[in-house]
């Protein structure tokens, strides 16, 4: 039995991919373009490095986030970005962000998703 065999509906499947507070914030942060690990951590206040690394691995395994390594001499640079699937997921989450801005934050904001 695979993970996909246990879903009741599409919402159940989608929530499994983005479940929790941090994954949607990671997607929101990557919506502005690829970032390095440290940039992501600074852009998501309160997330620990351990949780961020774990969630990035899970999102990568689900095909939502890509991980690119580049070397400049002996220095390794790792950049994370959204895959086409991740971009489509961010687009699907956009109406939810709009609802939160309108009904809970008191109006539209250019910074919020």
């Amino acid at each position: 039995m695979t993970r996909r065999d246990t879903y009741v509906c599409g919402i159940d499947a989608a929530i499994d991919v983005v479940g929790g507070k941090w994954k949607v914030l990671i997607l929101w942060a990557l919506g502005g373009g690829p970032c390095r690990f440290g940039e992501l951590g600074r852009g998501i206040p309160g997330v620990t490095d351990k949780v961020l690394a774990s969630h990035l691995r899970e999102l990568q395994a689900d095909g939502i986030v890509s991980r690119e390594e580049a070397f400049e001499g002996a220095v390794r640079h790792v950049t994370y970005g959204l895959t086409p699937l991740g971009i489509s997921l961010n687009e699907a989450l956009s109406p939810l962000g709009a609802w939160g801005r309108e009904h809970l934050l008191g109006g539209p904001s250019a910074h919020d998703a």
Side-chain angles (χ1 to χ4, degrees):
M1 178 183 260
T2 67
R3 192 170 92 180
R4 292 179 183 212
D5 294 334
T6 63
Y7 296 133
V8 176
C9 65
I11 294 285
D12 188 21
I15 293 299
D16 185 43
V17 173
V18 297
K21 174 181 182 176
W22 302 115
K23 286 185 180 178
V24 291
L25 293 177
I26 292 167
L27 290 172
W28 171 78
L30 290 175
C35 295
R36 292 188 183 162
F37 185 86
E39 292 173 303
L40 279 173
R42 287 187 298 276
I44 306 171
V47 69
T48 65
D49 286 351
K50 180 179 178 180
V51 169
L52 181 58
S54 172
H55 285 335
L56 284 167
R57 279 192 300 274
E58 291 172 12
L59 289 166
Q60 187 180 0
D62 286 332
I64 305 298
V65 168
S66 64
R67 181 181 187 274
E68 301 289 330
E69 282 189 41
F71 290 89
E72 293 180 19
V75 178
R76 179 180 67 160
H77 295 286
V78 178
T79 303
Y80 296 91
L82 294 177
T83 64
L85 188 60
I87 292 168
S88 71
L89 180 55
N90 247 5
E91 290 169 353
L93 290 170
S94 183
L96 185 60
W99 183 91
R101 276 191 310 277
E102 181 179 344
H103 298 288
L104 302 175
L105 299 178
S109 169
H111 182 59
D112 294 326

